[in-house]
Amino acid sequence: MEPQTKPHSASSVQACEKCNQNFVIEVDDFPFYEKMDLPLPTMCPYCRFKYLLAFWVFGRFRITKSALSGKTIITVIPESAPFPIYDRTEFVSDAWDPLTYRKDYDASRSFIEQLVELQSAVPHPHQIGIKNTNSDWADDTWESKDTYLSRSIAGNDSVSYGYRLLNCKNSIDLTFCWELERSYDCLYCFKSYNLKYSFNSRDCIDSFFLYDCRNCQNCFMSWNLRNQKYCILNKQYSKEDYFEKIKEYNLASHSSIEALKKEFWQHIKQDAVHRQNYNLQAVNSTGNFLNNDKNCYQNYFVEDSENCRYCFRGRGKECIDTLSIFDSEKCAISALDQKGYGNICNLYTNFCRYSAYLDNCEECEYCFGCVGMRKNKYCILNKQYTKEEYEKLVEKIKSDMKKNGEWGKFFPLSSAYAGYNFSLAQMLLPMIKDEALKFGAKWEEIIEPQYENIINANNLPDTINEVNDEIIKQRILCPETKLSYNITKEELAFYREHNIPLPQRHFDWRTLDRFKPFSLMVTLQKGNCYYCKKEIEHYYSKDLDFEKIACLECYQREVV
Ligand SMILES: [Zn+2]
Ligand SMILES: [Zn+2]
């Protein structure tokens, strides 16, 4: 007899049910699925990421009313969502009881179908953040003040059009930035002051167009710099010459900023040295954007984690196939299952344990197929059972689900709160409408109200100096998205103060466009180090067209 400790000695190759590409189920994957009594995946890792990401809403902000009290709320959940939307404070109050939505399990029907029916009936909160001041136009926003049209942010003060920000201040158009102040149009920048049009830089002050720079001050259009001052195009200038030279760039003009952005990307492509991955302290781990991880496999944007496989965003232990876990352990196939333990197929849950198929539940234990529940135990389809009844019925449902192939399948894509185009999937692993529909996802048609006297953004004044105060009363049409937007009074003051031209695209398009390079850094590539020619694994897709991708050793040598 084979010893039980070594059940799988070889990986297995399968065709993905979505994209038809062959993918590998690794030897080390098997024990994870077995331990959690789950079937093996039928989709490749990227289709699994796409699938889960489709559940993370990146919707358009809209004004509506809480279905409970009629209070005005601003939400990113589209009108097409089937369930009632409650103001978050009402959602967590005793003003309603999720148990009144209870259903008996009907063994003659698909369990997931019954779960989706329940999900369509039970109210959902309009957003998930708390402790904000003057930040109604926000989603997933926490402990922030005076924020506007921002999402997934915490601890911010006076930021607009931000996405994934931590402790930023007085800034506009930042994406994935920590501790930036008085900054504009940056991606993946940290601890910097007055930084503009920059990407992947840290500890920089009063600078523009920096890529992979550290501790630089008064630098312009430069890359891979460390501890420098007064550099332009990586060339050293005297203080006086630097400021003289900077004047030659017309930074108040939209057309010259666009030309400079193109030039910046040419330098990033041809001249900058790129570290084979963005990982810091990733021990025995693969994936990109890892920080302090151990024994992790094909994870992206994951930190302080151990033994996690195919996880996207977050931190956890012994998890597999998850999106945005946060301090979760032994969880599988879940999206936004935070502080969870021993869960399977959860969606938007918090502090839940030993549960499966929950949507928008908090502090629940031993619950199965429930929606909108808080602090409950032994519930199935929002119905209360005794411990014994619960265990017996869960066994029965699991066995029925195994028979019809439903067990271990996540919520159907049709039950995502929004269409694929209004989800994080579109940001990270974008698809066009036909591809998304073929994938099985929903697609949201954009319905934009007709405005009189709207101006096309392409006709906005080229420089900020030509803009008069009337602009804040004007509706502007983005030619790219056909969505309209406006300029706020505070925003106009910021642009004037910083000499920044008016944006000519809708703010969501700007965020998506800014994020684009990251969507090309989340697939494993094989290549050779530009310098030593040794074979390396890196994460820069060919579409980025980066010339100098370096192994860690060569990067350390080249970029001092
Ligand atoms: Zn696939
Ligand atoms: Zn090398």
Side-chain angles (χ1 to χ4, degrees):
M1 226 170 93
E2 284 274 313
Q4 283 197 331
T5 46
K6 204 182 153 223
H8 299 282
S9 54
S11 55
S12 130
V13 178
Q14 300 222 7
C16 169
E17 69 172 25
K18 292 286 183 196
C19 69
N20 264 325
Q21 306 251 9
N22 279 344
F23 71 100
V24 180
I25 300 173
E26 305 285 350
V27 175
D28 292 338
D29 294 343
F30 290 99
F32 274 78
Y33 295 114
E34 276 162 12
K35 257 190 299 192
M36 298 183 192
D37 192 23
L38 286 165
L40 295 174
T42 51
M43 285 183 261
C44 73
Y46 288 100
C47 287
R48 269 137 66 193
F49 283 150
K50 276 183 182 174
Y51 197 105
L52 292 174
L53 281 160
F55 285 84
W56 197 342
V57 182
F58 187 86
R60 289 192 62 202
F61 287 96
R62 67 183 182 101
I63 301 178
T64 184
K65 287 193 182 334
S66 171
L68 187 67
S69 66
K71 178 185 165 185
T72 298
I73 48 171
I74 293 158
T75 183
V76 293
I77 301 172
E79 233 175 320
S80 59
F83 44 76
I85 298 169
Y86 285 3
D87 174 80
R88 158 125 198 131
T89 48
E90 295 168 5
F91 177 81
V92 297
S93 75
D94 294 328
W96 70 289
D97 181 5
L99 284 165
T100 57
Y101 292 86
R102 64 185 159 265
K103 295 258 186 263
D104 285 311
Y105 170 58
D106 177 354
S108 69
R109 295 174 58 212
S110 135
F111 178 79
I112 288 187
E113 235 175 75
Q114 296 173 63
L115 171 64
V116 170
E117 282 169 14
L118 180 71
Q119 187 202 31
S120 309
V122 179
H124 283 58
H126 82 292
Q127 71 122 339
I128 56 173
I130 51 168
K131 296 187 185 162
N132 299 308
T133 314
N134 187 28
S135 300
D136 289 341
W137 291 90
D139 181 49
D140 187 14
T141 289
W142 308 78
E143 297 176 15
S144 293
K145 193 175 149 253
D146 300 326
T147 67
Y148 183 60
L149 292 168
S150 296
R151 307 170 170 95
S152 294
I153 65 169
N156 296 274
D157 187 348
S158 305
V159 298
S160 297
Y161 318 118
Y163 173 68
R164 221 189 156 193
L165 308 182
L166 188 67
N167 302 333
C168 291
K169 259 189 200 168
N170 300 316
S171 297
I172 291 182
D173 271 27
L174 302 183
T175 303
F176 204 159
C177 292
W178 281 204
E179 295 176 53
L180 253 56
E181 209 176 323
R182 294 172 60 75
S183 294
Y184 179 71
D185 197 354
C186 291
L187 170 67
Y188 205 64
C189 290
F190 305 90
K191 292 190 177 182
S192 295
Y193 183 89
N194 192 22
L195 183 61
K196 298 185 178 101
Y197 314 110
S198 295
F199 175 25
N200 182 23
S201 292
R202 278 168 206 269
D203 306 304
C204 293
I205 300 174
D206 300 331
S207 297
F208 305 79
F209 300 102
L210 299 189
Y211 173 73
D212 187 33
C213 289
R214 306 282 181 267
N215 193 30
C216 292
Q217 195 172 350
N218 293 111
C219 287
F220 190 93
M221 190 70 76
S222 293
W223 51 92
N224 302 130
L225 293 184
R226 300 293 182 266
N227 316 314
Q228 298 296 320
K229 267 184 185 180
Y230 313 120
C231 287
I232 301 172
L233 292 162
N234 279 30
K235 201 179 141 206
Q236 183 72 61
Y237 286 80
S238 70
K239 184 179 175 182
E240 294 68 31
D241 290 351
Y242 174 85
F243 285 110
E244 271 312 302
K245 186 97 180 129
I246 289 294
K247 280 187 203 153
E248 291 170 17
Y249 298 98
N250 186 5
L251 297 172
S253 147
H254 187 268
S255 50
S256 66
I257 291 288
E258 288 303 296
L260 286 165
K261 280 186 174 183
K262 281 203 181 100
E263 188 187 336
F264 181 49
W265 270 94
Q266 273 315 106
H267 291 300
I268 293 177
K269 281 179 183 181
Q270 291 167 1
D271 304 318
V273 184
H274 308 278
R275 203 177 187 265
Q276 69 183 99
N277 59 47
Y278 275 64
N279 301 342
L280 299 167
Q281 294 168 307
V283 180
N284 188 28
S285 297
T286 62
N288 209 5
F289 306 99
L290 306 182
N291 193 348
N292 191 27
D293 292 331
K294 223 170 112 184
N295 304 326
C296 287
Y297 186 76
Q298 288 304 310
N299 291 352
Y300 296 89
F301 304 102
V302 164
E303 55 190 34
D304 306 319
S305 296
E306 230 180 295
N307 298 325
C308 284
R309 301 177 77 76
Y310 315 105
C311 294
F312 211 105
R313 274 278 287 270
R315 64 183 194 215
K317 269 189 190 144
E318 287 177 62
C319 292
I320 192 162
D321 295 333
T322 62
L323 167 67
S324 189
I325 46 170
F326 189 72
D327 291 342
S328 297
E329 204 172 326
K330 296 187 169 69
C331 292
I333 319 177
S334 61
L336 301 116
D337 179 8
Q338 318 227 315
K339 299 192 190 275
Y341 189 94
N343 300 324
I344 290 162
C345 296
N346 276 2
L347 172 63
Y348 280 104
T349 46
N350 230 328
F351 288 105
C352 292
R353 291 150 58 87
Y354 308 111
S355 296
Y357 292 102
L358 304 188
D359 173 24
N360 248 293
C361 292
E362 282 181 19
E363 296 180 64
C364 290
E365 262 187 5
Y366 303 100
C367 284
F368 195 99
C370 292
V371 184
M373 305 272 274
R374 291 179 310 280
K375 299 186 178 156
N376 293 86
K377 211 169 170 177
Y378 307 127
C379 291
I380 300 168
L381 295 171
N382 285 26
K383 185 175 173 180
Q384 185 68 60
Y385 293 89
T386 65
K387 181 174 185 279
E388 293 69 30
E389 290 167 341
Y390 172 85
E391 282 165 0
K392 219 174 126 192
L393 188 52
V394 165
E395 264 324 296
K396 159 82 179 138
I397 296 171
K398 252 176 89 169
S399 118
D400 290 349
M401 289 177 87
K402 280 180 182 172
K403 267 182 237 156
N404 68 14
E406 276 189 337
W407 176 244
K409 293 253 185 288
F410 196 65
F411 287 76
L413 284 163
S414 58
S415 73
Y417 303 171
Y420 196 90
N421 49 332
F422 286 150
S423 75
L424 231 60
Q426 192 64 353
M427 195 186 255
L428 281 150
L429 300 164
M431 292 199 272
I432 57 167
K433 183 180 172 182
D434 287 350
E435 291 169 340
L437 294 177
K438 196 172 157 238
F439 191 77
K442 296 192 290 191
W443 194 265
E444 218 73 51
E445 293 306 331
I446 295 169
I447 307 151
E448 180 71 3
Q450 295 293 311
Y451 293 97
E452 279 178 30
N453 303 322
I454 194 163
I455 53 166
N456 191 304
N458 289 343
N459 299 330
L460 287 171
D462 184 52
T463 67
I464 189 67
N465 314 323
E466 301 160 75
V467 177
N468 65 42
D469 292 347
E470 293 300 295
I471 193 73
I472 60 173
K473 296 179 193 155
Q474 184 73 54
R475 205 74 206 160
I476 304 163
L477 182 73
C478 166
E480 209 85 33
T481 57
K482 311 293 175 217
L483 299 174
S484 73
Y485 64 102
N486 64 317
I487 305 289
T488 67
K489 199 174 139 212
E490 295 75 18
E491 192 183 348
L492 180 62
F494 181 92
Y495 295 146
R496 280 178 173 158
E497 189 193 341
H498 289 261
N499 206 23
I500 292 167
L502 293 182
Q504 298 194 358
R505 292 294 178 271
H506 185 266
F507 50 89
D508 281 344
W509 186 93
R510 292 175 349 233
T511 299
L512 292 168
D513 192 54
R514 197 174 304 116
F515 207 79
K516 221 179 249 166
F518 278 173
S519 72
L520 301 170
M521 295 185 193
V522 290
T523 46
L524 179 67
Q525 315 279 331
K526 301 249 191 254
N528 296 85
C529 170
Y530 176 80
Y531 297 94
C532 70
K533 309 294 174 208
K534 85 170 177 194
E535 253 184 48
I536 52 168
E537 286 187 342
H538 65 82
Y539 295 88
Y540 301 106
S541 143
K542 283 192 177 55
D543 294 339
L544 283 166
D545 212 8
F546 286 177
E547 200 174 322
K548 301 179 180 173
I549 299 169
C551 73
L552 296 182
E553 294 74 33
C554 291
Y555 175 87
Q556 305 289 9
R557 193 188 57 236
E558 294 295 320
V559 183
V560 188

